Amino acid sequence: MMTKKTKIIATISDARCDVDFIQSLFDAGMNTARINTAHASLRGAAKVVENVRKVSDSIAVMIDTKGPEVRVTGMADAFKAGISVAQGDIISIRGTAEDLPSSREMVYMNHATICDDVPVGAKILIDDGELEIEVVEKADCTLVGRVNNAGVIKSNKSVNIPDVEIDLPTLTDRDREYIQWAIENDIDFIAHSFVRSAADVLAVQQLLDAAGSPIKIISKIENREGVNNIDEIIRATYGIMVARGDLGVEIPAEQIPQTQRYIVRKCIESKTPVIIATQMLHSMIHSPRPTRAEVSDIANAIYQRVDAIMLSGETASGDYPVESVRIMTKIAHEVENDTLNEDTDINTVLISNEVMSLIAHSAVQAAQSLPVRAIVIDTKSGRTALHMAAFRSSKPVYAVCYSRSVMRQLALSFGIQAVWVEPQPGKTNYLLRMLYSFERHKWLDKSDLVVMVAGSFGDQLGASFMEISTVENLQNKPRQGA
């Protein structure tokens, strides 16, 4: 029986993905396994998926696209250790499509038209902001920059240019290769990196639609352009990830908390799953215990009622991966128990004259007002469950699903415990069957009061009614076709 409502995503590397390890992460509270394609081969990713499926078919699998990004090229032989620079140094920067090696005389970046895109006065940040270079002049397809702090420019390090729109392709050839692999391997989510507008989402969706794939897209918000266009991105995507790594370089650090809160609220209003990621337990890569600041960061995200929180290096390569998941689970328990008796602000969710939303709102409100044990729903597409999750019920929500992919996709939704039921031709009493199953698993007792939400008019219209009764009364109620 699920006791925490906030879901946990754990990044898994093919270098450490044996079945026992994944089982231990699952037992500690992991709901979704993430594969970072920037650090995984197709063969390695397949190994992770195979072992995840051996542990449980309820664990969702997410892959990240590498996405379009600007990087420093590799170093010339004389500068293999990097280019040391001091504050005030002047360096020259050019773009290249040929992967020319960088040197002290010329630093190359892998975007051929970077000189056209970047204006004088812009700040070029290298290696997640460790080194700042201010553009002071443009001449002969070259940016002339002044170094603002001492450091070392190393091979293939990331480049961020805050508040400057760079003309990058939406998808790389590598991204297309991994998306096709995801389609063929029944992956549940694609987290698309550096989403700037709805057009970036639609470029991925077109590939999925062409293959008839049910994979859902998570848009990673990592730059100012993505924040500015958040409304159109939400309308085009399944879910949002606030990826605070690059985002924290692209916008001032002091704006990160308010930006996170702004995006989370937008997502909850629109019934869109929202994930908070990056350095949530970074110290636990090498330490058995988190810092107090990290605990507060995780708690703050849960108090904001996000759907999921994510671990990256902590579980992919850290020394204490299982402990990291366990700590997150404990924090979720504490925060959720602290808010258990508080009224959820369910009026923040936009209903927009949708019958399904109105019923979900009423079901959660009834569960708060009455001694209800749980809300029980059935959902074919997952829409009913998404609407229910948006209202952040303080009571468990048990979702009966008729496809395994929908069951796994709900592993990202707040408070949803999804179970799969194999459809049987001619039989329609799935919810009744599941009530008996929940009773056998001791999730529910016959005397428990539950709110049941279901539909009477087919898959397209979704939920159309709710009923409040005890499990026993619902089991004994005469049903057409039962």
Side-chain angles (χ1 to χ4, degrees), residues 358-368 372 375 388 393 451 453 466:
L358 184 60
I359 291 174
H361 179 279
S362 300
V364 172
Q365 200 166 42
Q368 288 181 184
V372 166
I375 300 171
M388 196 67 67
S393 171
V451 179
V453 175
M466 77 175 193

Side-chain angles (χ1 to χ4, degrees), residues 174-467:
R174 179 185 176 89
D175 292 337
R176 290 187 175 86
E177 181 182 22
Y178 272 86
I179 290 169
Q180 183 59 41
W181 175 87
I183 292 168
E184 295 169 357
N185 286 270
D186 198 23
I187 302 303
D188 303 295
F189 299 104
I190 291 174
H192 189 34
S193 297
F194 303 104
V195 170
R196 298 158 293 181
S197 67
D200 291 340
V201 183
L202 295 175
V204 179
Q205 191 63 59
Q206 287 172 359
L207 297 178
L208 300 177
D209 290 345
S213 171
I215 294 174
K216 303 301 183 185
I217 301 170
I218 306 296
S219 295
K220 295 174 68 176
I221 306 301
E222 304 182 78
N223 51 40
R224 175 73 71 183
E225 197 174 352
V227 175
N228 291 343
N229 294 325
I230 192 64
D231 288 327
E232 68 173 64
I233 293 170
I234 285 175
R235 287 192 293 270
T237 196
Y238 178 86
I240 295 288
M241 181 189 294
V242 184
R244 302 178 303 178
D246 280 276
L247 186 61
V249 178
E250 290 278 338
I251 67 176
E254 65 273 15
Q255 293 181 15
I256 291 295
Q258 67 191 57
T259 301
Q260 173 177 315
R261 186 180 180 190
Y262 168 75
I263 295 174
V264 168
R265 189 168 185 86
K266 284 277 187 181
C267 289
I268 293 175
E269 285 177 354
S270 60
K271 301 173 284 292
T272 301
V274 58
I275 303 158
I276 301 299
T278 314
Q279 294 186 338
M280 301 209 81
L281 286 173
H282 187 70
S283 70
M284 288 193 70
I285 291 177
H286 300 300
S287 172
R289 287 176 296 278
T291 66
R292 291 163 182 80
E294 288 169 337
V295 172
S296 294
D297 181 39
I298 293 169
N300 181 55
I302 298 171
Y303 276 119
Q304 290 175 9
R305 300 186 186 278
V306 301
D307 287 88
I309 47 185
M310 193 176 93
L311 294 165
S312 299
E314 299 95 333
T315 50
S317 58
D319 297 332
Y320 301 95
V322 178
E323 291 83 353
S324 296
V325 176
R326 194 174 292 130
I327 284 289
M328 268 194 165
T329 298
K330 288 180 178 179
I331 297 169
H333 279 308
E334 290 294 325
V335 174
E336 290 166 6
N337 287 337
D338 183 47
T339 59
L340 187 62
N341 296 320
E342 295 181 5
D343 288 336
T344 307
D345 189 9
I346 60 178
N347 294 318
T348 62
V349 183
L350 299 179
I351 294 178
S352 305
N353 298 318
E354 298 170 293
V355 172
M356 194 184 305
S357 289
L358 184 60
I359 291 174
H361 179 279
S362 300
V364 172
Q365 200 166 42
Q368 288 181 184
S369 303
L370 298 170
V372 166
R373 176 67 187 84
I375 300 171
V376 181
I377 67 174
D378 73 337
T379 181
K380 185 167 185 180
S381 67
R383 286 186 303 149
T384 301
L386 285 180
H387 283 242
M388 196 67 67
F391 291 101
R392 303 304 195 246
S393 171
S394 61
K395 305 294 176 66
V397 179
Y398 299 134
V400 179
C401 305
Y402 308 116
S403 83
R404 293 185 188 275
S405 63
V406 170
M407 175 187 68
R408 292 194 298 267
Q409 286 159 4
L410 294 177
L412 275 189
S413 294
F414 180 92
I416 304 293
Q417 170 78 358
V419 293
W420 173 72
V421 174
E422 185 174 8
Q424 296 181 6
K427 294 188 177 182
T428 58
N429 56 338
Y430 300 118
L431 278 174
L432 180 61
R433 288 166 52 198
M434 291 314 300
L435 285 174
Y436 282 110
S437 176
F438 295 154
E439 187 183 352
R440 287 195 303 272
H441 286 88
K442 301 189 183 300
W443 292 2
L444 296 173
D445 293 325
K446 284 188 179 297
S447 60
D448 284 338
L449 190 67
V450 298
V451 179
M452 178 177 284
V453 175
S456 299
F457 303 105
D459 304 333
Q460 298 304 314
L461 295 180
S464 58
F465 72 88
M466 77 175 193
E467 188 170 353

Side-chain angles (χ1 to χ4, degrees), residues 4-22:
K4 71 174 173 63
K5 297 179 177 64
T6 309
K7 305 300 178 68
I8 294 175
I9 304 167
T11 305
I12 298 176
S13 163
D14 61 319
R16 180 171 60 185
C17 67
D18 60 88
V19 171
D20 289 344
F21 173 68
I22 295 172

